[in-house]
Amino acid sequence: MELTDLTARRLLDGYRTGEFGPVEAARAALERAARIQPEVNAFVRLLEEDAPAQARAAEERWRRGEPKGLLDGVPVTVKDILLLRGHPTLRGSRTIPAAGPWDEDAPSVARLREHGAVFVGKTTTPEFGWKGVTDSPLSGITRNPYDPSRTAGGSSGGSAAAVALGAGALSLGTDGGGSVRIPAAFCGIFGLKPTYGRVPLYPASAFGTLSHVGPMTRDAADAALLLDVIGTPDARDWSALGPAPGSFSAALGEGVRGLRVAFSPSLGGQVAVRPAVAAAVRRAVAELAGLGAYVEEADPDFSDPVEAFHALWFAGAARVTQRLSPDQRAQLDPGLREICGRGARLSALDYLAAVDVRMDLGRRMGLFHERYDLLVTPTLPLTAFEAGAEVPKGAGYHRWTGWTPFTYPFNLTQQPAATVPVGTDPDGLPIGLQIVAARHRDDLVLRAAHALYEAGVAAQKERWRQRA
C-alpha cells in the first residue's frame, strides 16, 4: 500500500516505529497532488517549498523522540477560504488582491501548525463558498475523483477530491449549508460539520452562524483525531465554545449499542431519493441495528426551511460583496451576482422572519432529540452529476439548494452532522449516509460513523478470508 493511501493514524504509527518518515510522506503527497491536478483541479496552490521544510523539521523531532503534538508530520490541506499564514487566501474570487499581507492563520490552521502538521496546499472553492459545487471564475472546475466528467460537489470540493485521491490525509473544509458533507458524499470520504462553535472561525463569516469549520478525512477515527486538535477555543472567535468535555478519539470505541436511532428515508416524503441511494442507505441503517442500536423509521417534525435559509444565505452573500466596485461585480460568478441582488433587496424584517423560522426549527429538533439520540438520512438524494453545472441537467431546480434538502436544515439548527460513504450507484459513484445528533453531541455522531467503518472493515476481512 502506498503512503498516499494511509490514514493519518497509520502514518503516525509508521513515524513512531521508524517504518517511514514525514519527509517520505510529504513527498508522496506532493507528487500525488501534482499528478491529479491537471485532471481533477483540486488545488489553487501547492506549497512545494513549505511542505518539505516542515516535513524535515517533523522528521527530526520524531528522530529525537519528541513529536510536536498529535499530528506531527501528517500531510494536510486547507480550503482556500481559511487563512494560511504566508500565502494568499483568495476565496475563489478575482476580486481579492493577492498582495496581502497574509500574516495570520485561521484558528483551525493555527492549531494544525501547533501540532506539527505539514501543509501541502490550498484547495479549491467556488467564489466565497457560495454554492454546492466547486467551480469559480478564478480557478475553474473541480472534478470528481471517481469520474472527472462529474462534479466533486462543493463548496469544499477541492478538499474532498484531495483526500479521496491521497493528496494529504486530512483537510479542513467549511460548511454553511452542506459544504463539507456534499463533496465528501460525492467523493466517497468522511466529512463532519461539528456543532457550531466547536471549531473557532476567524475572520467571522459573512454567512454568520450558518458557517462551520470541519474535518474531511478518510474515516471517522481520523476526523475524531483532527477534531481533538482543532476543536479548542480561540480568543478571536467570541462565539466559540469552551473546551470539549473529553477526547473525541477516546469516545469512539463506545459504539452504538443502546442508542436510539431515527431513520428518515425522505424527511416524511418531502424528498425524492434515487432508488440506488435509498437502497444503500437502508442497508447501512440495518447494519446499525445489527450493531445494537434501536432503530425505527421516524421523521423530524419540520417542513422544508429553504426560504428561510435563502434569506439568511443571500443576505450573507450580499454583505460579502457589498463594497465591490461595478467593475469587480462584473467579475463575479453570475449565479453569485444574482443571489447578491436578491439578498440586497431583503429588509431587516425579512431577515428576522427567517431567524424566527430558524429558532422554531431548533426547538423542534431539540424536542426530537429528547426521543432519539441520532437522526439518520441520506446525505443527498442523488450522486454526482455533470461538472460545471450548479444543478443537474433537467432537474428543474434553479439553485443548488434544490438537490441538497438533507443538509442545510442542520446548518440552521447548528447541530453536528456527518456523512459516511455507504456504497456506490450503478455508475460506480459514491453514496453517503448522514448522521445527525443534538447540539454538542459530536461524540455520538463520530461513534456511530466509526461503528459503520469498523463493520465495513470486518466485512471486507471476512470476504478476503472466504476467498482464501
Side-chain angles (χ1 to χ4, degrees), residues 12-23:
L12 291 165
D13 286 344
Y15 301 162
R16 196 171 290 113
T17 62
E19 181 183 356
F20 45 76
V23 170

Side-chain angles (χ1 to χ4, degrees), residues 22-45:
V23 170
E24 190 179 355
R27 183 185 305 117
L30 282 168
E31 289 174 354
R32 177 66 60 87
R35 189 156 69 248
I36 68 173
Q37 181 63 8
E39 185 170 41
V40 175
N41 188 32
F43 291 92
V44 295
R45 188 169 300 103

